[in-house]
């Protein structure tokens, strides 16, 4: 494989809304191409589907909820797969 042909993925740091649980803001680093697609109206799960951004980061972008805050407020129920 020609490693010189690989281009770095450009990323953007996005400031997220305040978390409704703790009140603190946050930041998420996302691929710029996905961010542009999302801002243009592509659903978030499609805009970032091919990039390494998981559901926790997508939720923080949408609502501001930090993954840790969600886990504290909504502990897994018995039988949930984690």
């Amino acid at each position: 494989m020609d490693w010189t042909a690989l281009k770095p993925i450009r990323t953007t740091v996005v400031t997220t809304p305040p978390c409704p649980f703790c009140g603190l803001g946050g930041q998420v680093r996302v691929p710029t191409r996905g961010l542009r697609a999302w801002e243009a109206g592509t659903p978030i799960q499609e805009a970032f589907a091919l990039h390494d951004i998981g559901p926790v980061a997508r939720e923080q972008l949408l609502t501001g909820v930090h993954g840790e805050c969600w886990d504290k407020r909504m502990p897994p129920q018995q039988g949930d797969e984690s």
Side-chain angles (χ1 to χ4, degrees):
M1 172 176 240
D2 180 11
W3 295 102
T4 60
L6 295 177
K7 294 181 181 177
I9 295 175
R10 293 177 191 240
T11 61
T12 301
V13 175
V14 178
T15 299
T16 61
C19 175
F21 296 134
C22 72
L24 298 176
Q27 295 182 328
V28 177
R29 181 178 296 276
V30 298
T32 303
R33 181 172 52 183
L35 178 62
R36 288 184 182 148
W38 180 47
E39 291 175 334
T42 302
I44 195 167
Q45 68 274 18
E46 292 176 22
F48 296 111
L50 299 177
H51 309 288
D52 290 328
I53 177 174
V56 173
R58 289 195 306 256
E59 185 66 30
Q60 187 173 345
L61 283 173
L62 289 170
T63 67
V65 174
H66 303 118
E68 301 84 23
C69 293
W70 179 265
D71 290 343
K72 288 177 186 174
R73 289 288 190 111
M74 309 292 185
Q77 300 296 314
Q78 187 173 0
D80 282 355
E81 293 183 29
S82 297

